[in-house]
């Protein structure tokens, strides 16, 4: 079969890499792909927001199955367009994608489903939002309602910061249309975890829990990023808690969406806060996490294509997911200055040497390649060096040993990925 992967980042590289290894798959196309993804797929120069162009590519190339990586094309109705053309596609339609495209919508679904989450209010008026913030008290969180490329969340330690965040979104328009309305919510304490399930519209199959590292600096300090690393499994979610999350959070959410006429088929990714063994939902995403996808794909023994087809065809009930024993760890190597301003075009050395280490895969998040074979930086997050091993300690050691092979001017990476898992042992 022929599979199309939509996207160009490290998540899409990991998906294309896993799909290409499936014996049922003859070829993989990535749109638009990247120089890194071109190592495992043929790349087609069609942008992720070109819904008509992607549908035309799928038809003309005889694609049997399309897997959508990022959230923006899902929110833009790519799945709706593909389904209208009779094209098999993995991901929720625009109605389901509102879980990520609108935080206010997501919160209302949680309330309707009886799922535990932070107390919140939705506002388009500055003064009303500030009054609610005072009712909550600091610390609190201010979020742009719409998609803001992972940057629309401000954790406010005091009310002055909250006032500034509310004004910057509603009055100054720092996030444009995404910040026309805001969600103000209480600050939850505990340990974060990522819980990803695959849905067929009614049933769900849970994947192994994982944990992301959002802050740019060691010890979870500094501004939040798109993710500086991840690992799986996450010890904070044991088997019993995973079952509770599935039955009290994921399944009620899918049922509530179905009651609203939304046939949710795709990834449902719950960002959770675990406090004293009890989970609350921070947010929902409608696609694989990045970089959580990278260690999950390295650990996944089952066929990803079989799992995806079960969702597309409407039947994942009874599917057992098999995992490689042990753990996998992804260390993100970023450009200096990220998540602020950073340079592009800096020459990179050592990628091939890093990938030659046992159990290591180097996924490209933001690179280009010159005609002479020189790799160069082309984004804030540049590489996701991912290692699998029998234990988390060995996986961490393998990942960082590989990272030491890679060099470019200004490179930055955290040196404490998986520190929570290591501290538990």
């Amino acid at each position: 079969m022929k599979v199309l992967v939509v996207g160009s980042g490290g998540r899409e590289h990991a998906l294309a890499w896993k799909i290409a290894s499936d014996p049922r798959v003859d070829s993989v196309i990535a749109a638009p792909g990247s120089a890194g993804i071109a190592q495992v797929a043929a790349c087609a120069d069609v942008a992720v927001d070109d819904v008509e162009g992607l549908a035309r590519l799928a038809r003309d190339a005889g694609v049997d199955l399309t897997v959508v990586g990022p959230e923006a094309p899902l929110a833009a109705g790519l799945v709706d367009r593909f389904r209208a053309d009779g094209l098999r596609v993995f991901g929720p339609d625009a109605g389901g994608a509102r879980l990520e495209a609108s935080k206010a919508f997501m919160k209302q679904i949680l309330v309707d489903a009886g799922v535990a989450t932070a107390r919140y209010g939705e506002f388009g008026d500055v003064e009303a939002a500030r009054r609610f913030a005072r009712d909550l008290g600091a610390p609190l969180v201010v979020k742009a309602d719409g998609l803001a490329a992972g940057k629309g969340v401000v954790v406010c330690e005091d009310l002055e910061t909250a006032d500034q965040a509310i004004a910057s979104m509603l009055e100054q328009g720092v996030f444009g249309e995404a910040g026309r309305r805001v969600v103000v919510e209480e600050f939850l304490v505990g340990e974060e975890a990522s819980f990803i399930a695959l849905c067929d519209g009614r049933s769900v199959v849970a994947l192994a829990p994982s944990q992301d590292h959002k802050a740019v600096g060691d010890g979870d300090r500094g501004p939040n990023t798109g993710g500086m690393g991840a690992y799986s499994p996450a010890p904070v979610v044991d088997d019993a808690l995973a079952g509770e999350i599935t039955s009290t959070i994921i399944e009620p959410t899918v049922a509530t969406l179905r009651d609203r006429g939304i046939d949710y088929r795709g990834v449902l990714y719950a960002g959770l806060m675990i406090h004293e063994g009890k989970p609350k939902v921070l947010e929902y995403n409608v696609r694989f996490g990045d970089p959580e996808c990278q260690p999950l794909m390295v650990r996944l023994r089952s066929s990803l294509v079989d799992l995806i087809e079960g969702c597309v065809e409407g039947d994942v009930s009874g599917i057992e997911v098999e995992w490689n024993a042990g753990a996998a760890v992804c260390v993100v190597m970023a450009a200096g200055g990220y998540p602020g301003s950073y340079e592009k075009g800096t020459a990179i050395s050592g990628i091939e040497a890093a990938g030659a280490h046992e159990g290591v895969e180097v996924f490209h998040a933001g690179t280009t390649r010159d005609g002479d074979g020189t790799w160069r930086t082309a984004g804030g997050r540049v590489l996701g060096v991912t290692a699998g091993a029998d234990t988390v300690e060995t996986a961490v050691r393998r990942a960082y040993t590989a990272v030491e092979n890679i060099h470019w001017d200004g490179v930055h990476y955290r040196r404490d990925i998986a520190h929570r898992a290591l501290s538990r042992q």
Side-chain angles (χ1 to χ4, degrees):
M1 65 188 302
K2 183 179 291 186
V3 180
L4 169 63
V5 175
V6 176
S8 61
R11 166 184 51 218
E12 289 76 32
H13 189 180
L15 291 171
W17 169 81
K18 178 63 177 176
I19 290 167
S21 71
D22 195 296
R24 295 177 55 208
V25 174
D26 300 310
S27 62
V28 180
I29 302 171
S34 68
I37 296 175
Q39 298 173 105
V40 295
C43 294
D45 188 17
V46 183
V48 296
D49 59 357
D50 184 358
V51 171
E52 293 299 327
L54 290 167
R56 185 166 54 251
L57 170 64
R59 289 193 304 268
D60 294 349
V63 168
D64 300 294
L65 176 66
T66 297
V67 179
V68 185
E71 64 276 12
L74 295 170
L78 183 148
V79 169
D80 307 69
R81 184 69 181 86
F82 272 53
R83 288 179 180 173
D85 279 2
L87 298 168
R88 298 168 76 234
V89 59
F90 176 67
D93 61 15
R98 289 187 67 202
L99 278 178
E100 183 166 357
S102 171
K103 294 177 179 64
F105 174 79
M106 180 270 294
K107 283 287 198 176
Q108 189 58 57
I109 291 293
L110 292 176
V111 171
D112 292 349
V115 172
T117 188
R119 181 185 170 202
Y120 79 102
E122 173 198 355
F123 305 95
D125 176 74
V126 171
E127 292 309 316
R130 286 175 170 171
R131 285 195 299 271
F132 185 77
R134 276 152 180 74
D135 288 341
L136 281 181
L140 55 88
V141 184
V142 178
K143 300 179 177 180
D145 177 56
L147 295 175
K151 300 177 182 178
V153 177
V154 181
V155 177
C156 307
E157 297 292 339
D158 51 59
L159 292 174
E160 181 181 358
T161 304
D163 286 347
Q164 293 171 353
I166 290 166
S168 70
M169 295 182 197
L170 292 180
E171 291 183 336
Q172 300 161 24
V174 294
F175 297 118
E177 187 67 18
R180 192 173 68 172
R181 297 189 66 80
V182 299
V183 169
V184 181
E185 66 180 34
E186 68 174 317
F187 177 82
L188 296 180
V189 298
E191 184 172 347
E192 289 191 47
S194 300
F195 195 86
I196 296 173
L198 305 183
C199 310
D200 66 9
R202 291 183 176 273
S203 302
V204 305
V205 57
L207 302 186
S210 55
Q211 195 167 71
D212 187 12
H213 296 260
K214 289 289 189 188
V216 72
D218 289 358
D220 301 315
R221 291 187 292 269
N224 278 351
T225 69
M228 292 299 296
Y231 64 98
S232 175
V236 69
V237 180
D238 59 18
D239 290 345
L241 184 55
E244 178 183 340
I245 292 166
T246 300
S247 62
T248 65
I249 293 177
I250 304 297
E251 290 175 345
T253 298
V254 174
T256 300
L257 290 169
R258 188 171 66 250
D259 290 343
R260 289 195 175 205
I262 297 172
D263 183 17
Y264 195 98
R265 303 190 187 196
V267 175
L268 185 56
Y269 160 12
L272 304 173
M273 184 66 79
I274 314 295
H275 181 58
E276 296 180 345
K278 295 299 181 182
K280 288 187 176 182
V281 175
L282 292 169
E283 64 178 2
Y284 270 130
N285 294 320
V286 298
R287 35 67 187 183
F288 283 102
D290 188 351
E292 294 99 325
C293 183
Q294 288 85 313
L296 286 175
M297 291 304 104
V298 166
R299 288 194 64 215
L300 183 62
R301 181 179 297 171
S302 298
S303 164
L304 178 63
V305 173
D306 288 351
L307 289 168
I308 287 174
E309 284 198 309
C311 294
V312 172
E313 299 301 328
D315 188 10
V316 297
S317 60
I319 292 181
E320 295 289 337
V321 185
E322 295 184 359
W323 300 93
N324 293 321
V329 174
C330 173
V331 178
V332 170
M333 303 184 73
Y338 175 77
S341 60
Y342 51 84
E343 292 186 2
K344 297 181 181 180
T346 306
I348 309 169
S349 64
I351 291 177
E352 288 76 12
H357 287 276
E358 181 183 1
V360 172
E361 297 292 337
V362 181
F363 297 116
H364 291 240
T367 63
T368 59
R369 199 173 197 181
D370 294 344
D372 64 2
T374 300
W375 292 103
R376 296 187 180 275
T377 63
R381 292 188 294 175
V382 179
L383 299 169
V385 180
T386 307
D390 291 339
T391 66
V392 67
E393 295 95 335
T394 304
V396 167
R397 184 169 61 250
R398 284 181 176 178
Y400 280 107
T401 298
V403 163
E404 290 172 0
N405 289 115
I406 300 173
H407 303 279
W408 73 82
D409 290 342
V411 62
H412 168 73
Y413 56 90
R414 284 184 57 161
R415 290 166 171 79
D416 65 345
I417 300 301
H419 66 87
R420 291 186 184 88
L422 294 173
S423 69
R424 288 172 177 266
Q425 299 186 4

